[in-house]
Amino acid sequence: MAACVAGMLYTAAKMAISHRRGDDTNVSQLGWVFAACVLIGSASAIVGALIG
């Protein structure tokens, strides 16, 4: 869970710096981080369903 929070903070910080510089911000990066968090959060349930 800590890795998910750190990943979101890192991506948000990169987006904020990019926006401040006037570069194009890529919101899809944040979507990938959220998708990874959902997958990590449900990993035990997925493994339990496959094994049991």
Side-chain angles (χ1 to χ4, degrees):
M1 214 38 142
C4 290
V5 172
M8 283 189 264
L9 290 175
Y10 175 74
T11 304
K14 276 181 37 176
M15 288 174 61
I17 291 169
S18 172
H19 178 71
R20 184 159 218 186
R21 290 182 180 167
D23 296 337
D24 187 26
T25 58
N26 194 356
V27 179
S28 68
Q29 290 177 347
L30 196 57
W32 282 109
V33 172
F34 284 138
C37 290
V38 168
L39 184 62
I40 290 170
S42 62
S44 64
I46 292 171
V47 170
L50 292 174
I51 292 176

